[in-house]
Amino acid sequence: MKLCVTSAGKDFEARIDPAFGRAPYFIIMETATSATEVVANRGATQGRGAGIAAAQILADKGVEGVLTGQVGPNTFQAFAAAGIKMYVGASAQDTVKEALAKFKAGEYPEASATAEVPHCGLGPGRGAGGAGRGRGRGQCRPV
């Protein structure tokens, strides 16, 4: 399987970045051969639609599965349309190497519905200037 892991850095010792669309790097690994490729996430700097842009990058690379912390419902739908499997729940406490070991041990089940995918985003009260009482990045709630 060609698996993408969202990462804060360019190697296996880097920490997982659990926010899919804003992760600075994607480490793409062919699980059968361990061949790897590091891809900078050009979508991370976009305003809206970062997850969709990032999903397109991975679809273009032929990725078959993504291991990350969470994705939004629109990104989940983009992955479903592209036939890319989602494995969520990876933690920023883990390195890419540790998360891959957990993946191989079956610790990350495939997400099969958006209700299973935690979503971190801006909630009510977030205005154009970012002020308000809404949820910030890293404060997750179920979809």
Side-chain angles (χ1 to χ4, degrees), residues 35-133:
T36 61
E37 176 183 8
V38 178
V39 177
N41 179 8
R42 298 181 315 270
T45 58
Q46 283 190 207
R48 293 179 159 243
I52 302 295
Q56 185 61 54
I57 292 168
L58 299 183
D60 291 346
K61 292 282 183 182
V63 168
E64 299 165 281
V66 174
L67 174 59
T68 190
Q70 68 273 334
V71 298
N74 292 338
T75 303
F76 185 88
Q77 290 175 1
F79 279 131
I84 298 173
K85 297 177 181 180
M86 290 294 314
Y87 302 91
V88 295
S91 167
Q93 303 303 313
D94 289 333
T95 64
V96 171
K97 183 179 181 179
E98 292 165 339
L100 282 169
K102 289 179 180 180
F103 175 80
K104 288 178 180 180
E107 291 188 32
Y108 301 110
E110 182 180 349
S112 59
T114 56
E116 297 175 16
V117 181
H119 174 63
C120 290
L122 300 177
R126 297 299 279 194
R133 301 181 321 255

Side-chain angles (χ1 to χ4, degrees), residues 16-45:
I16 292 291
D17 189 316
F20 169 75
R22 302 290 175 196
Y25 297 99
F26 299 130
I27 297 181
I28 301 171
M29 182 178 124
E30 177 55 61
T31 57
T33 65
S34 297
T36 61
E37 176 183 8
V38 178
V39 177
N41 179 8
R42 298 181 315 270
T45 58

Side-chain angles (χ1 to χ4, degrees), residues 125-143:
R126 297 299 279 194
R133 301 181 321 255
R135 297 176 192 274
R137 186 170 180 220
Q139 297 173 321
C140 294
R141 60 181 166 77
V143 174

